[in-house]
Structure formats: C-alpha cells, structure tokens
Amino acid sequence: MNSKALTQSIKALTANPVRTVLTTLGIMIGIATVIMVLSAGAGFKSLINDQVASLGSNTLFIKTRVPPTTKNRAATNALTPGIAVGITTFNQRDLDDIKKLNNVVNDYGMVTGMAVASYRNNNKSAIYYGSSYERFAIDQHELSVGRFYTQAEDTGAAQVAILGSSLAKQLFLQDDPIGKVVRIGNLNFQVIGIYKSQGGGDTGPDGGIYVPLKTAQFKMLGISYITVGVVQLKDTNLADATAAGISQTLMHNHNISDPAKDDFTVVTQAQVLDIYNTIFNGITILLIAIASISLIVGGVGIMNIMYVVVTERTAEIGLKKALGATNSDILKEFLIESVLVTILGGIIGVLFGSLLSWLLAIIATANGLTWVFTVPLYAIAIAVGVSAAIGISFGVLPARSAAKLDPIEALRYE
C-alpha cells in the first residue's frame, strides 16, 4: 500500500504544480539560509586561518591591558577632567629581555594611530602602524613594489612609509607611488613600498600605512611605550611554556607580584583561533536560530495548505473509504504528500543556498580575500533531516483529520 500511496501523492502534487511550488517556498528559503550560513562559516574560517597564518604560524602576541584595580580607579576618576588611565610600562626593554628566552627567535613592537593621508587633491583617513624593522623578518606579507625600511631608518625615526595596496590606489590613482611624498597628519613621508593585497578592503590591511616604530612613537604620537608585541618562536609546541616565561619576564620588569594585577596579556596563535571560532560559532548559532523561524513559518504554511487539500478532496476520501481504504491508508497518503513537499523544498533550498554561497565566494575572492567555497556534508544532512521532520510534524494533523472523516458524510460533501 505504501508504493500506491506514494504514487497517489505524487499525482496529487503534480496536478497543481503552482500550489506545490508556493507551498515549498518557505521551507526552501529557510534551508537555503541554513546552507548559506554554514557554507559562509567554512569560508570565514579559511579567511581567518589565512590571516593568522600570514602573521606567522609560529608567533604569539603581547597586548597591554588595564588591570582590574586600575579600572576601578579609572571609574572613580571618570568625573575628574584631565585624568586618563593608560598603560605605559610596555617598552623596548621588555622586548629585548623577551628575545633572550630560549624558545624565542625574534620579536618586534607596534603602536597604532589614525591620520589623514594626502597626496595632491586626494585625501583619505587611514590607520597607521608603527613597527620596528624586525617585523619584516617575522611577518609573511610581501611587497608588490619597492622595499622595506631598514634598521637605520627605524632607529633614526626616518619619515618613510609603506602603503597598503588599496590606499595607494586611492591616493595616487595611475601615478607610480614609489619615491613620491605623501602627507600623513602634519608630516611628509616618502613612499618606499606598496604591500601586495592582503584582503579586507579599505578598513583592512590594504587601507593601512606602515612606518618605522620610532617615527610613529616620537614624531606622530609623542610616546615612548609600545602597545602590542609580536614574538616569533622556534618550536610552536612550546608556545604555552614560552607564554608563561614571557609573563614571568614582564611581571618582573613591571614589578608585579600578583598575576591578577597584570598590565599585559600574552596570547598564542591557538588562543587567537579559539577566540575567533568561539565568536563565529555564537554568530552561526544565532543566524541558524533566525533561519529556523523561516522553517517554522514554512511548516505552518504546509499544514494550512494540507488542511485545504483535505477539504478539497473530502469526497475523494469518502469514495476511497467506501471502496475499502482504511484510516491508515488515508493517513499514509496525506503524510507522504506532506513529506514529499518538504523534501522537495529542502532539495531546492540546498541547491539555491549552494548557488548563493558560490556567488559569495566569488565576490570575496574578487576582493582579495582567501575564501574557500564549500558546502559541508553535515549542512546537507541537516537540511534534508529538518525538511523531513517538518513534513512529518506539520503534516500529521491534516493527515489524521483526513483519516478520521466519516465515509458517508465525506461522500455527501460538496
């Protein structure tokens, strides 16, 4: 009887194709959204892994932070004009001491700021990064043209700059930037290099300016401390032990005895990836929860349509029962019809979601991002499983309603 019920269900669906397509629309949109979210998640992870790897897979980071006691003092002083809290204890001496640790190959410090970069009539607000020359031996970013600044230019606070690819195009248009003078804030800088595109557009590395550390510290920011340190390791398997050694060195240099009062944070590559993955997993769950609303709406739509179908075919149901069809036969027929509609919507949703994900990957790649197009198998399994579950859940009530019809009353229905 199952094969006969399946055949009759298919005939019922093909008899009114427009209604069938409209019925599947809600499920299709919901499944397509789930597929796109999960596919984009895989692409985003490939992008993050590439960005972290570009900093060197054998690096860890040191960042300044305001300890809890200082935060409380800052809150108390918030109403007093002119009082600000900042961490100024992290300096080059710390990096020199860290470089002496057994598992450390090299390190460099960095500060950041924002200024308007100008060339002729072209102006662009950009983030500038001041870092010591050791950066170029650690980071894996390459120049498309020009050269890196030297140790002498770094220690001498030379006014030379390397531009991100996007910023260089916006400022110089068709001109060759190398050797030209660009104004950054109130200072003139000679452009000595242009980075290859790293992705992220104007707000990412491609829109940045890279200058010697001493230049950024003393001439642009008026400071002598460092806000971020990058450390290159010999053996990444010893990253946690090295991070502990760095913490001990900084606590000693900063006269800190209580770890709770640290004015710095040491973060390994694994921890960076864990942070990104935790954040993105939370976002993914949120987006899937939103997409599930579409699935529920689609399921309610299927239930309503199936009730309409039951009403339209009341006389047919009465005739089948009069000819010997049981309640179970009628239940199976309408339940199969509901499941077929949702599975059809699920398949179309998978295809449509995959197409959107593919277009997203093309757009991301065209903008210089490392974005891998993939549709995880578990995403397809979820889509098909959810479709079938919705078909059964929202189809069982109309199917039971049809199965319970009295054959005599059904034959009299007009």
Side-chain angles (χ1 to χ4, degrees):
M1 182 61 190
N2 286 340
S3 60
K4 185 177 180 181
L6 177 62
T7 303
Q8 291 176 338
S9 297
I10 293 174
K11 287 182 179 180
L13 292 176
T14 55
N16 198 332
V18 175
R19 183 167 64 187
T20 300
V21 171
L22 292 176
T23 304
T24 63
L25 191 59
I27 298 297
M28 183 192 76
I29 293 174
I31 293 297
T33 304
V34 172
I35 291 293
M36 189 173 179
V37 167
L38 295 177
S39 177
F44 182 76
K45 286 183 179 179
S46 68
L47 172 63
I48 293 300
N49 288 335
D50 180 73
Q51 290 294 321
V52 173
S54 68
L55 298 174
S57 58
N58 58 341
T59 56
L60 55 78
F61 310 94
I62 307 167
K63 300 180 181 180
T64 58
R65 73 181 183 93
V66 179
T69 54
T70 308
K71 289 180 181 178
N72 294 337
R73 186 168 65 253
T76 303
N77 295 333
L79 298 178
T80 306
I83 295 181
V85 175
I87 301 302
T88 62
T89 52
F90 186 36
N91 52 40
Q92 188 61 46
R93 175 204 168 192
D94 293 323
L95 291 176
D96 292 340
D97 289 343
I98 289 170
K99 196 178 293 185
K100 298 175 185 177
L101 297 177
N102 290 332
N103 195 42
V104 174
V105 178
N106 205 349
D107 60 27
Y108 70 87
M110 185 168 62
V111 295
T112 61
M114 180 169 284
V116 175
S118 305
Y119 177 73
R120 294 181 179 173
N121 295 324
N122 298 325
N123 303 296
K124 179 67 177 178
S125 180
I127 297 175
Y128 60 83
Y129 303 87
S131 58
S132 52
Y133 73 98
E134 288 96 342
R135 171 180 186 156
F136 308 123
I138 298 176
D139 290 359
Q140 299 177 6
H141 299 142
E142 298 179 356
L143 298 180
S144 61
V145 64
R147 64 175 179 84
F148 297 115
Y149 47 81
T150 64
Q151 180 180 2
E153 289 172 326
D154 181 21
T155 56
Q159 291 175 205
V160 294
I162 301 171
L163 305 182
S165 59
S166 175
L167 180 63
K169 291 178 181 178
Q170 292 176 340
L171 291 180
F172 293 91
L173 303 178
Q174 302 302 321
D175 290 353
D176 180 8
I178 302 301
K180 299 291 193 309
V181 174
V182 62
R183 191 165 185 81
I184 304 173
N186 298 320
L187 301 174
N188 291 327
F189 286 76
Q190 183 183 36
V191 179
I192 61 172
I194 305 297
Y195 268 116
K196 288 183 178 179
S197 177
Q198 301 171 43
D202 296 347
T203 58
D206 288 352
I209 305 169
Y210 305 85
V211 301
L213 177 61
K214 296 292 191 296
T215 306
Q217 284 180 313
F218 302 127
K219 292 185 176 182
M220 303 176 78
L221 294 170
I223 61 175
S224 59
Y225 56 88
I226 294 167
T227 54
V228 176
V230 180
V231 181
Q232 185 181 28
L233 308 179
K234 294 178 184 177
D235 186 354
T236 55
N237 293 323
L238 300 176
D240 291 337
T242 306
I246 292 173
S247 295
Q248 289 296 323
T249 299
L250 291 176
M251 288 177 66
H252 176 268
N253 286 359
H254 298 179
N255 296 317
I256 298 172
S257 57
D258 184 1
K261 298 180 180 180
D262 284 347
D263 56 4
F264 60 87
T265 302
V266 183
V267 185
T268 65
Q269 290 278 30
Q271 290 172 326
V272 171
L273 289 175
D274 286 342
I275 292 171
Y276 278 121
N277 288 334
T278 299
I279 293 172
F280 187 76
N281 288 339
I283 295 173
T284 300
I285 292 173
L286 175 62
L287 293 175
I288 291 177
I290 294 173
S292 66
I293 296 175
S294 298
L295 293 173
I296 294 173
V297 172
V300 173
I302 288 174
M303 184 168 63
N304 289 336
I305 293 297
M306 292 306 297
Y307 271 121
V308 172
V309 171
V310 169
T311 302
E312 290 179 349
R313 291 161 57 184
T314 298
E316 175 189 335
I317 294 170
L319 179 60
K320 287 181 178 180
K321 282 196 165 186
L323 294 176
T326 64
N327 288 351
S328 176
D329 295 333
I330 301 298
L331 176 66
K332 289 178 183 177
E333 180 180 338
F334 281 89
L335 193 56
I336 289 174
E337 189 172 329
S338 175
V339 172
L340 286 177
V341 168
T342 51
I343 290 180
L344 176 63
I347 293 173
I348 297 175
V350 169
L351 296 176
F352 186 56
S354 300
L355 175 62
L356 292 178
S357 301
W358 177 67
L359 292 175
L360 177 62
I362 290 178
I363 294 172
T365 304
N367 283 276
L369 301 178
T370 303
W371 195 278
V372 177
F373 166 67
T374 179
V375 178
L377 292 177
Y378 66 84
I380 298 176
I382 290 174
V384 175
V386 169
S387 299
I390 288 176
I392 295 172
S393 301
F394 289 91
V396 67
L397 291 179
R400 287 182 62 188
S401 176
K404 290 181 178 180
L405 287 175
D406 181 84
I408 304 299
E409 295 296 328
L411 285 171
R412 291 176 178 175
Y413 184 82
E414 294 182 0

